[in-house]
Amino acid sequence: MDSEGLHLNIDYVGSSGIILSPEQKAALQTSLVILKNSGKFHRVYFWGKILGVKDDYFIAQGVGRDEMENRKTFYSKDCVHWGLLPPATKAMREQSKLAQGRFTGDPSYEFEHTEQKKSEDGEEAGEEETKSKMRFSTATGELEGLNETTITIKEEDRLSSVIAEIDEDVKIVPRSAFIKTPDGKINANRSFEGLSVSESAKLCSYMHFRDAICLQEKSLLQKANLDKAIDFMDTLEEDIPKGSWSLQFERGSGLVTLRSLLWLGYVFYHVPGTHMYGSCYVGNGEKNLDLPFML
Amino acid sequence: MTDVNMELNINPKEQQFISAKSYLLTASTDTGLNLYDHLSRVLTKVLDERPNNVVDIFEDVSKDSKRSKFTSDVDTVRDKLDQSTEVALAKVQEKLFAKEGGEDNEPEESEELETPLPNIMELCFFFEQAGIGLNREEMIRVWLALKNLVDTHALSHVRFWGKMFGTEQNYYIAEVEYRDGDEEEEEEEEPEEQQEEEATDKDGDEEGEEEQEEDDTPKPDFKPPPEIPKEENKTGTNKKTYFVCNDPGKPWTKLPAVTPAQIQSARLIKKFFTGRLDAPVVSYPPFPGNEINYLRAQIARISAGTHVSPMGFYQFEEDEEEVDDEDEEEEREEPDEPEPEVGPPLLTPLSEDAEIGNLPPWTPKVSSKLIPQYAISVLQSNLWPGAHAFAAGKKFENVYIGYGHKYNMDNYNPPQTAPIQEEFPSGPEITEAEDPTVEEENALRNAQQEAAEAAEEMEEAEEEEDDEDN
């Protein structure tokens, strides 16, 4: 959510159990202003918190004019000093998926991941058995001829990858909050007045804030109704599995809250009829892979 | 036209102006608007409001102005729809704020009665310091709803247990203890397992009738697990009663007591709550009950696993009637015979909690590192994410805010289905054999005839021999 007015906006997600202590709010207000100034960002967003075992990380993102392109992510443990996170490359993200378990809270911690490659036949050379962090005992005779390679993943890298993954999977904005200009840039829509109550009850009024994946596969008939300047992102209706979003109205129809069931802890709020909206993630940083069983 | 103008002494410049203006005033054949009026309206709006960088949003202003010309001001249907939900909820919540009785009577009575209501605002302050809980306005509404609960039921103890999220609606849960002697009796229902047993026996009988043989039909191997006796009312997991509501202000529903079978099943499944208490829980193994029972079972598990108190706060009294708060239950595999499950004894220190993998079960924190003198200590559970506790001096409290599921390092694996039951054991009586062909039958008959003839000849030969002998 926007860092300006953080102390007001955090109230909107309070009903999902996300609150900041007054001390944290005060520290954030000060430090985010400094961050905005020093990084010369157009806007700074308070992205959320990732809870570790020993300590939590506060995450902030600074964006330039084009909000999809220039995003820099910062993390902090005490809401005062912010450190820049390395941008997540594809290789980093693949590796980070192998690290399992909670974040520890120590950014220099390294997860170990052991991979075993069978080097016997040509067919099996491609097979990899990935074991988790606990190494299986070498008492089994099958391990003869296996090479073990240990990959270490730094917690910082994992943090950056998880944040990138969450942004790609569940970061949403209301429809027509962003406009694509003819030269391809994406700007905030200055005349966005909010969704109406009936519109905000439908999942198709919310869109993933990322490059469109499913858009090209739509039929021409469906595309004919779309407005190119507004509908350049995927809507929530195409999300699989269906029902992975929980849409609820608080305060009657005064506030609409969307909670993601895929990444437990991601909350998006919008006040229908106004341009107030925002999102926040407070959680473990682990994807809920049991989702299909739970619905 | 030009002749007329010439006659009126209008110079060419003015004439161009007039023709331009009349062009602008031509009404569009589609919409009936004309550009002149539209532009003047837009410019008036811009000059009135003076937004920043108006040239960037000029098209939008123009579009809005066109759009507003067509929507009628009187739009009764839409207005009614928008206001109804918000107003309805607000009215429900307004009742929370209504005071009962006259103000004169109240002070005297309230001094005498000890109110079982906790001081939620104080707790809310501590929760906020710790960074857990719900926001203040919501806590106030919950508090008033609890007060409603206290007024309508005779309770000795009330506590805000927490909030469970559901996909459609959420649950606010209150933990209460009834005053002695004022309990409401609960109806006992026949255990469902007995009915299951009867049903399977019936199936066996039907098979027997169809077979019409004297062989025993194979009895189904399925023995329903022995019925676990329910705990006595008001003890163990059912010591406290729970009430839920979907929103503060809506009526409170009492949750039924939880049975051990439900807790066992709840351990094996992982489902989201929908927010409707009567929703069925579709799962494998089938959960005995609806969402209302599943909710109660999860509440029982969470309470048993995460209700903590500062060391030394509670003591065992000699008569042991006032022992409060159960602590952890260690998860054990169920033995085949129903031995009663025993967790660690009450008031076990947290340091003896089992670790999850290599994860400590609790994360302790301090609320403020900058001002440690007044900081409060906060505990977060790693086993049940969402369970928090704080302690500040003598005050402490537990709360749960979350989805109601345990933390699992690996993914959830649904339990294996039972092996397929054996059909009727195969044996010679029911093994199929091919019918003999006509040739085989003839051959058999011939062979039998020959054997019979041979036997007759033998007999005749013997008789002849006998005769000859005689």
Side-chain angles (χ1 to χ4, degrees):
Chain A
M1 62 188 63
D2 213 339
S3 63
E4 303 171 0
L6 177 67
H7 56 289
L8 294 174
N9 293 338
I10 202 83
D11 257 349
Y12 288 124
V13 291
S15 62
S16 307
I18 299 177
I19 60 173
L20 296 171
S21 76
E23 185 189 323
Q24 289 166 346
K25 268 192 261 185
L28 278 173
Q29 277 176 344
T30 322
S31 62
L32 286 178
V33 166
I34 296 180
L35 187 67
K36 182 173 173 182
N37 192 24
S38 64
K40 301 190 184 32
F41 294 116
H42 180 59
R43 271 208 215 153
V44 170
Y45 288 104
F46 174 62
W47 188 90
K49 263 165 83 166
I50 293 201
L51 308 172
V53 173
K54 296 189 198 110
D55 224 344
D56 304 334
Y57 296 106
F58 292 85
I59 315 287
Q61 277 187 340
V63 295
R65 278 244 145 188
D66 185 342
E67 304 217 0
M68 254 200 230
E69 297 295 315
N70 319 325
R71 258 191 281 193
K72 292 220 176 92
T73 319
F74 297 85
Y75 77 99
S76 158
K77 290 180 54 169
D78 55 0
C79 298
V80 180
H81 303 105
W82 295 90
L84 180 63
L85 275 178
T89 58
K90 251 202 160 172
M92 237 203 286
R93 284 167 73 161
E94 287 298 317
Q95 274 192 2
S96 302
K97 288 198 186 146
L98 304 170
Q100 287 185 354
R102 299 274 305 267
F103 283 92
T104 53
D106 175 17
S108 51
Y109 180 79
E110 293 190 346
F111 291 93
E112 279 180 4
H113 175 82
T114 316
E115 268 186 26
Q116 294 178 347
K117 286 190 184 170
K118 289 185 192 164
S119 57
E120 296 161 12
D121 295 334
E123 298 173 351
E124 299 177 0
E127 272 182 28
E128 294 171 356
E129 285 180 44
T130 57
K131 313 270 187 194
S132 63
K133 193 177 166 190
M134 309 287 291
R135 290 195 194 190
F136 282 70
S137 69
T138 50
T140 59
E142 299 164 346
L143 289 182
E144 288 170 14
L146 292 175
N147 298 330
E148 287 187 358
T149 51
T150 313
I151 301 180
T152 55
I153 303 142
K154 280 193 291 187
E155 177 138 326
E156 263 190 1
D157 290 343
R158 187 177 168 204
L159 196 61
S160 169
S161 316
V162 160
I163 294 175
E165 210 180 329
I166 294 180
D167 273 343
E168 187 170 311
D169 278 346
V170 288
K171 180 160 173 160
I172 56 179
V173 293
R175 183 171 176 266
S176 78
F178 284 91
I179 291 204
K180 193 169 194 173
T181 58
D183 47 352
K185 294 218 186 87
I186 295 170
N187 292 335
N189 183 2
R190 294 255 319 272
S191 28
F192 175 58
E193 281 184 2
L195 303 170
S196 69
V197 173
S198 47
E199 273 175 18
S200 50
K202 295 186 225 160
L203 276 181
C204 58
S205 330
Y206 303 97
M207 322 185 88
H208 283 278
F209 194 62
R210 61 168 188 225
D211 293 328
I213 300 178
C214 318
L215 208 57
Q216 286 83 350
E217 295 158 22
K218 283 197 172 178
S219 66
L220 277 178
L221 202 60
Q222 288 170 325
K223 277 200 235 179
N225 289 334
L226 302 179
D227 182 352
K228 275 213 181 132
I230 304 177
D231 296 303
F232 56 95
M233 301 181 276
D234 300 319
T235 68
L236 286 196
E237 289 215 327
E238 282 111 29
D239 266 6
I240 299 166
K242 277 208 165 165
S244 58
W245 289 92
S246 148
L247 195 154
Q248 292 178 5
F249 279 97
E250 321 263 336
R251 313 178 191 181
S253 44
L255 174 68
V256 61
T257 308
L258 268 116
R259 279 192 271 262
S260 165
L261 301 179
L262 183 61
W263 290 92
L264 287 178
Y266 182 84
V267 178
F268 170 86
Y269 70 89
H270 174 54
V271 183
T274 70
H275 65 279
M276 310 285 294
Y277 69 90
S279 56
C280 191
Y281 176 84
V282 171
N284 289 342
E286 286 178 334
K287 201 166 181 174
N288 180 21
L289 293 168
D290 303 332
L291 181 62
F293 291 114
M294 293 167 78
L295 286 174
Chain B
M1 177 86 163
T2 37
D3 295 336
V4 176
N5 287 342
M6 289 296 272
E7 287 175 9
L8 296 176
N9 290 331
I10 300 175
N11 53 12
K13 270 250 167 93
E14 274 199 27
Q15 172 196 324
Q16 277 178 6
F17 171 71
I18 291 179
S19 67
K21 184 170 174 185
S22 61
Y23 166 70
L24 290 179
L25 278 169
T26 44
S28 151
T29 46
D30 287 334
T31 54
L33 295 176
N34 60 39
L35 188 56
Y36 187 86
D37 287 336
H38 181 68
L39 276 177
S40 61
R41 236 195 335 267
V42 170
L43 288 174
T44 319
K45 188 167 175 206
V46 164
L47 288 170
D48 281 339
E49 294 179 1
R50 313 232 170 194
N52 291 335
N53 289 345
V54 65
V55 65
D56 295 332
I57 54 171
F58 177 71
E59 289 81 6
D60 292 323
V61 178
S62 160
K63 249 198 204 166
D64 278 340
S65 164
K66 277 190 196 164
R67 229 186 298 149
S68 62
K69 197 144 205 305
F70 285 108
T71 54
S72 64
D73 292 331
V74 186
D75 201 359
T76 47
V77 176
R78 247 237 224 129
D79 285 345
K80 263 221 156 129
L81 210 72
D82 286 357
Q83 284 179 14
S84 63
T85 45
E86 199 166 356
V87 169
L89 186 68
K91 284 204 175 123
V92 165
Q93 292 180 345
E94 196 188 353
K95 289 194 203 123
L96 286 178
F97 294 93
K99 267 197 194 161
E100 298 176 331
E103 290 195 17
D104 297 328
N105 297 336
E106 275 205 38
E108 296 179 21
E109 290 183 20
S110 58
E111 281 173 15
E112 293 177 2
L113 288 175
E114 266 186 33
T115 169
L117 204 58
N119 187 356
I120 286 210
M121 273 326 283
E122 197 181 10
L123 293 174
C124 178
F125 166 75
F126 282 122
F127 278 135
E128 208 178 334
Q129 294 291 314
I132 54 186
L134 307 167
N135 55 358
R136 252 185 260 156
E137 287 76 29
E138 198 159 333
M139 286 296 245
I140 289 238
R141 271 184 245 131
V142 169
W143 196 22
L144 292 172
L146 284 182
K147 172 168 159 303
N148 247 348
L149 189 63
V150 163
D151 290 337
T152 45
H153 296 79
L155 308 164
S156 73
H157 206 63
V158 160
R159 204 177 75 81
F160 177 54
W161 185 91
K163 180 173 180 183
M164 286 275 217
F165 297 124
T167 52
E168 292 167 26
Q169 289 182 62
N170 308 319
Y171 292 118
Y172 294 84
I173 300 159
E175 182 184 81
V176 312
E177 249 182 73
Y178 277 106
R179 254 183 262 158
D180 293 332
D182 284 348
E183 308 153 9
E184 298 168 8
E185 290 200 3
E186 296 165 17
E187 296 174 9
E188 288 197 8
E189 300 172 5
E190 270 199 31
E192 293 182 14
E193 295 167 47
Q194 264 189 14
Q195 293 175 359
E196 267 188 61
E197 209 171 330
E198 292 177 66
T200 47
D201 281 341
K202 266 193 210 156
D203 285 339
D205 290 339
E206 281 175 18
E207 277 182 40
E209 288 171 15
E210 286 174 15
E211 289 286 347
Q212 292 187 349
E213 290 185 24
E214 293 179 356
D215 295 330
D216 285 331
T217 62
K219 289 285 176 221
D221 256 351
F222 170 70
K223 287 189 201 93
E227 188 195 325
I228 305 162
K230 290 194 207 168
E231 292 168 321
E232 289 217 358
N233 233 4
K234 308 294 166 220
T235 62
T237 47
N238 286 320
K239 189 155 185 214
K240 318 247 173 166
T241 324
Y242 292 89
F243 281 84
V244 308
C245 76
N246 281 124
D247 259 319
K250 294 208 175 144
W252 290 93
T253 317
K254 182 168 163 185
L255 289 182
V258 65
T259 64
Q262 288 168 355
I263 295 193
Q264 272 186 30
S265 290
R267 287 188 184 141
L268 298 171
I269 65 178
K270 195 172 180 188
K271 282 268 173 191
F272 278 122
F273 295 104
T274 59
R276 290 168 287 127
L277 285 172
D278 50 357
V281 176
V282 181
S283 63
Y284 183 80
F287 184 78
N290 287 337
E291 183 155 313
I292 193 172
N293 305 100
Y294 184 46
L295 179 63
R296 179 69 181 84
Q298 292 292 91
I299 293 178
R301 288 172 71 197
I302 294 175
S303 297
T306 60
H307 274 188
V308 297
S309 57
M311 195 109 133
F313 191 87
Y314 287 113
Q315 280 178 338
F316 285 107
E317 299 212 353
E318 290 183 7
D319 45 359
E320 288 211 14
E321 275 181 12
E322 298 192 22
V323 172
D324 297 81
D325 280 1
E326 304 170 0
D327 277 12
E328 328 331 294
E329 259 183 35
E330 285 174 14
E331 303 297 320
R332 290 201 203 142
E333 288 178 24
E334 287 301 315
D336 288 336
E337 291 159 356
E339 287 177 6
E341 208 179 286
V342 180
L346 294 176
L347 301 186
T348 319
L350 282 187
S351 49
E352 300 187 18
D353 259 13
E355 282 193 358
I356 319 155
N358 46 1
L359 206 61
W362 292 90
T363 300
K365 282 199 202 138
V366 190
S367 71
S368 157
K369 292 188 190 139
L370 299 174
I371 312 178
Q373 305 96 308
Y374 296 106
I376 63 178
S377 65
V378 186
L379 268 183
Q380 286 181 357
S381 168
N382 291 326
L383 186 56
W384 293 97
H388 307 278
F390 81 86
K394 279 209 166 179
K395 298 194 211 294
F396 79 98
E397 186 55 85
N398 299 292
V399 77
Y400 179 85
I401 298 189
Y403 285 95
H405 297 116
K406 206 170 187 179
Y407 174 70
N408 202 354
M409 289 236 347
D410 303 317
N411 298 335
Y412 168 72
N413 277 325
Q416 292 263 335
T417 52
I420 307 173
Q421 291 182 17
E422 282 273 323
E423 292 189 356
F424 205 91
S426 48
E429 305 95 32
I430 58 168
T431 340
E432 280 185 9
E434 282 194 11
D435 276 343
T437 61
V438 180
E439 292 86 11
E440 285 177 16
E441 280 188 8
N442 285 339
L444 189 62
R445 205 184 315 128
N446 290 339
Q448 279 180 345
Q449 276 185 353
E450 282 173 16
E453 285 170 10
E456 282 180 16
E457 282 177 12
M458 287 282 291
E459 286 183 11
E460 286 175 9
E462 284 179 7
E463 285 180 9
E464 283 177 10
E465 284 180 10
D466 286 344
D467 287 343
E468 283 178 6
D469 288 340
N470 289 347

